[in-house]
PDB file of all heavy atoms in Angstrom:
ATOM      1  N   TRP A  92       0.292  10.750  -8.416  1.00 97.00           N
ATOM      2  CA  TRP A  92       0.113   9.311  -8.135  1.00 97.00           C
ATOM      3  C   TRP A  92       0.030   9.031  -6.663  1.00 97.00           C
ATOM      4  O   TRP A  92      -0.600   8.042  -6.261  1.00 97.00           O
ATOM      5  CB  TRP A  92       1.258   8.540  -8.844  1.00 97.00           C
ATOM      6  CG  TRP A  92       1.124   8.612 -10.354  1.00 97.00           C
ATOM      7  CD1 TRP A  92      -0.027   8.633 -11.038  1.00 97.00           C
ATOM      8  CD2 TRP A  92       2.190   8.667 -11.295  1.00 97.00           C
ATOM      9  NE1 TRP A  92       0.256   8.720 -12.404  1.00 97.00           N
ATOM     10  CE2 TRP A  92       1.593   8.744 -12.555  1.00 97.00           C
ATOM     11  CE3 TRP A  92       3.598   8.685 -11.203  1.00 97.00           C
ATOM     12  CZ2 TRP A  92       2.359   8.790 -13.736  1.00 97.00           C
ATOM     13  CZ3 TRP A  92       4.313   8.736 -12.343  1.00 97.00           C
ATOM     14  CH2 TRP A  92       3.705   8.765 -13.593  1.00 97.00           C
ATOM     15  N   VAL A  93       0.633   9.867  -5.829  1.00 98.00           N
ATOM     16  CA  VAL A  93       0.454   9.710  -4.388  1.00 98.00           C
ATOM     17  C   VAL A  93      -1.001   9.947  -4.054  1.00 98.00           C
ATOM     18  O   VAL A  93      -1.609   9.239  -3.272  1.00 98.00           O
ATOM     19  CB  VAL A  93       1.403  10.650  -3.625  1.00 98.00           C
ATOM     20  CG1 VAL A  93       0.969  10.803  -2.167  1.00 98.00           C
ATOM     21  CG2 VAL A  93       2.825  10.180  -3.732  1.00 98.00           C
ATOM     22  N   GLN A  94      -1.594  10.932  -4.628  1.00 98.00           N
ATOM     23  CA  GLN A  94      -3.035  11.226  -4.385  1.00 98.00           C
ATOM     24  C   GLN A  94      -3.862  10.066  -4.903  1.00 98.00           C
ATOM     25  O   GLN A  94      -4.862   9.656  -4.286  1.00 98.00           O
ATOM     26  CB  GLN A  94      -3.507  12.528  -5.090  1.00 98.00           C
ATOM     27  CG  GLN A  94      -4.951  12.871  -4.795  1.00 98.00           C
ATOM     28  CD  GLN A  94      -5.224  13.028  -3.320  1.00 98.00           C
ATOM     29  OE1 GLN A  94      -4.506  13.735  -2.593  1.00 98.00           O
ATOM     30  NE2 GLN A  94      -6.275  12.406  -2.825  1.00 98.00           N
ATOM     31  N   GLU A  95      -3.492   9.488  -6.034  1.00 98.00           N
ATOM     32  CA  GLU A  95      -4.213   8.352  -6.561  1.00 98.00           C
ATOM     33  C   GLU A  95      -4.143   7.154  -5.575  1.00 98.00           C
ATOM     34  O   GLU A  95      -5.116   6.454  -5.355  1.00 98.00           O
ATOM     35  CB  GLU A  95      -3.634   7.909  -7.933  1.00 98.00           C
ATOM     36  CG  GLU A  95      -4.380   6.770  -8.591  1.00 98.00           C
ATOM     37  CD  GLU A  95      -3.788   6.417  -9.947  1.00 98.00           C
ATOM     38  OE1 GLU A  95      -2.579   6.673 -10.199  1.00 98.00           O
ATOM     39  OE2 GLU A  95      -4.505   5.808 -10.715  1.00 98.00           O
ATOM     40  N   LEU A  96      -2.973   6.933  -4.956  1.00 98.00           N
ATOM     41  CA  LEU A  96      -2.840   5.915  -3.984  1.00 98.00           C
ATOM     42  C   LEU A  96      -3.687   6.182  -2.744  1.00 98.00           C
ATOM     43  O   LEU A  96      -4.365   5.318  -2.207  1.00 98.00           O
ATOM     44  CB  LEU A  96      -1.372   5.755  -3.516  1.00 98.00           C
ATOM     45  CG  LEU A  96      -1.115   4.757  -2.479  1.00 98.00           C
ATOM     46  CD1 LEU A  96      -1.478   3.320  -2.900  1.00 98.00           C
ATOM     47  CD2 LEU A  96       0.313   4.806  -1.967  1.00 98.00           C
ATOM     48  N   ARG A  97      -3.696   7.437  -2.325  1.00 98.00           N
ATOM     49  CA  ARG A  97      -4.504   7.843  -1.165  1.00 98.00           C
ATOM     50  C   ARG A  97      -5.988   7.544  -1.445  1.00 98.00           C
ATOM     51  O   ARG A  97      -6.671   6.937  -0.613  1.00 98.00           O
ATOM     52  CB  ARG A  97      -4.320   9.361  -0.923  1.00 98.00           C
ATOM     53  CG  ARG A  97      -4.941   9.882   0.339  1.00 98.00           C
ATOM     54  CD  ARG A  97      -4.620  11.318   0.533  1.00 98.00           C
ATOM     55  NE  ARG A  97      -3.223  11.572   0.899  1.00 98.00           N
ATOM     56  CZ  ARG A  97      -2.355  12.248   0.167  1.00 98.00           C
ATOM     57  NH1 ARG A  97      -2.679  12.775  -0.980  1.00 98.00           N
ATOM     58  NH2 ARG A  97      -1.113  12.393   0.589  1.00 98.00           N
ATOM     59  N   ASP A  98      -6.451   7.906  -2.658  1.00 98.00           N
ATOM     60  CA  ASP A  98      -7.849   7.665  -3.034  1.00 98.00           C
ATOM     61  C   ASP A  98      -8.150   6.162  -3.119  1.00 98.00           C
ATOM     62  O   ASP A  98      -9.208   5.707  -2.697  1.00 98.00           O
ATOM     63  CB  ASP A  98      -8.157   8.328  -4.362  1.00 98.00           C
ATOM     64  CG  ASP A  98      -8.100   9.843  -4.272  1.00 98.00           C
ATOM     65  OD1 ASP A  98      -8.169  10.425  -3.185  1.00 98.00           O
ATOM     66  OD2 ASP A  98      -7.991  10.506  -5.375  1.00 98.00           O
ATOM     67  N   ALA A  99      -7.148   5.418  -3.666  1.00 98.00           N
ATOM     68  CA  ALA A  99      -7.354   3.939  -3.780  1.00 98.00           C
ATOM     69  C   ALA A  99      -7.439   3.312  -2.384  1.00 98.00           C
ATOM     70  O   ALA A  99      -8.242   2.380  -2.192  1.00 98.00           O
ATOM     71  CB  ALA A  99      -6.222   3.377  -4.599  1.00 98.00           C
ATOM     72  N   GLY A 100      -6.614   3.774  -1.500  1.00 98.00           N
ATOM     73  CA  GLY A 100      -6.681   3.215  -0.109  1.00 98.00           C
ATOM     74  C   GLY A 100      -8.024   3.486   0.521  1.00 98.00           C
ATOM     75  O   GLY A 100      -8.580   2.580   1.170  1.00 98.00           O
ATOM     76  N   MET A 101      -8.518   4.657   0.357  1.00 98.00           N
ATOM     77  CA  MET A 101      -9.858   5.002   0.940  1.00 98.00           C
ATOM     78  C   MET A 101     -10.968   4.212   0.238  1.00 98.00           C
ATOM     79  O   MET A 101     -11.928   3.824   0.887  1.00 98.00           O
ATOM     80  CB  MET A 101     -10.107   6.507   0.868  1.00 98.00           C
ATOM     81  CG  MET A 101      -9.253   7.317   1.853  1.00 98.00           C
ATOM     82  SD  MET A 101      -9.323   6.677   3.553  1.00 98.00           S
ATOM     83  CE  MET A 101     -11.048   6.955   3.936  1.00 98.00           C
ATOM     84  N   ALA A 102     -10.842   3.991  -1.055  1.00 98.00           N
ATOM     85  CA  ALA A 102     -11.826   3.177  -1.764  1.00 98.00           C
ATOM     86  C   ALA A 102     -11.795   1.744  -1.217  1.00 98.00           C
ATOM     87  O   ALA A 102     -12.880   1.132  -1.010  1.00 98.00           O
ATOM     88  CB  ALA A 102     -11.571   3.187  -3.224  1.00 98.00           C
ATOM     89  N   ALA A 103     -10.606   1.196  -0.975  1.00 98.00           N
ATOM     90  CA  ALA A 103     -10.494  -0.174  -0.404  1.00 98.00           C
ATOM     91  C   ALA A 103     -11.116  -0.181   0.993  1.00 98.00           C
ATOM     92  O   ALA A 103     -11.814  -1.153   1.376  1.00 98.00           O
ATOM     93  CB  ALA A 103      -9.043  -0.612  -0.397  1.00 98.00           C
TER      94      ALA A 103
END
Side-chain angles (χ1 to χ4, degrees):
W92 293 326
V93 165
Q94 183 60 48
E95 184 180 23
L96 176 65
R97 188 177 288 117
D98 294 343
M101 289 308 297

